[in-house]
Amino acid sequence: MEKMNKPSKIFLALITLSVLLVIIATAYKFLWLKDYDFYVEAVCDPEIEICFYRDCSIPDDCPPNGLEHYRAFEVPAGDFSNCSDNSCLAECVSGKIQCNELICDESEGYECSFPTNLYEELELEVEAQDAILEDPQAE
């Protein structure tokens, strides 16, 4: 077996050191600082809240929580251990931990369910605006 020349040894040492630095920096960020967020789903009442919706009639299309109507939150990994359950709903709603609630938006490709009374309110608002546009004197 041939001996490695000096430039090859230096190159190999730099590569090894670089790989070790990347591993240490990644471990520090994710294991020590916990600088990432969890995406969690919580129960949502479609009668009174805007909810994300997915069809769970096919069992394989649903996650283990089985939620068809759900709210979604981003929870900092460092705070997740303070949650009383995997949804973190009570802690997010009460403000005990700082969560970011994701709002369902159909323009982003999500399927949403809206409360029935919200549809009625929006319909009345649109009708009123249409009436004003048709006859500006009717105000």
Side-chain angles (χ1 to χ4, degrees):
M1 193 158 124
E2 274 186 50
K3 284 188 171 184
M4 291 178 60
N5 59 14
K6 190 171 185 170
S8 295
K9 287 181 183 179
I10 292 172
F11 178 72
L12 184 61
L14 287 174
I15 293 295
T16 303
L17 183 62
S18 297
V19 169
L20 286 174
L21 283 173
V22 167
I23 291 171
I24 291 169
T26 303
Y28 177 73
K29 178 177 181 173
F30 291 108
L31 298 176
W32 182 261
L33 294 179
K34 295 186 178 181
D35 187 20
Y36 56 96
D37 293 329
F38 284 118
Y39 173 86
V40 295
E41 296 175 355
V43 176
C44 183
D45 183 358
E47 295 295 320
I48 58 173
E49 300 172 299
I50 298 173
C51 305
F52 288 89
Y53 173 78
R54 68 175 146 245
D55 184 11
C56 284
S57 60
I58 301 170
D60 292 340
D61 290 349
C62 251
N65 65 16
L67 295 175
E68 269 191 328
H69 298 277
Y70 62 96
R71 295 168 72 174
F73 296 95
E74 287 179 344
V75 179
D79 292 336
F80 187 74
S81 61
N82 298 328
C83 294
S84 59
D85 60 9
N86 284 342
S87 73
C88 296
L89 180 62
E91 291 76 13
C92 289
V93 172
S94 70
K96 182 179 176 185
I97 60 175
Q98 191 168 6
C99 305
N100 178 28
E101 183 167 8
L102 305 172
I103 306 300
C104 190
D105 185 356
E106 290 181 333
S107 68
E108 293 180 10
Y110 296 107
E111 202 170 333
C112 306
S113 63
F114 297 93
T116 308
N117 62 348
L118 183 62
Y119 273 132
E120 292 167 1
E121 288 174 21
L122 290 174
E123 247 178 53
L124 292 174
E125 190 175 310
V126 168
E127 287 174 8
Q129 288 176 353
D130 287 346
I132 291 171
L133 290 174
E134 289 173 8
D135 187 11
Q137 309 299 346
E139 290 179 20

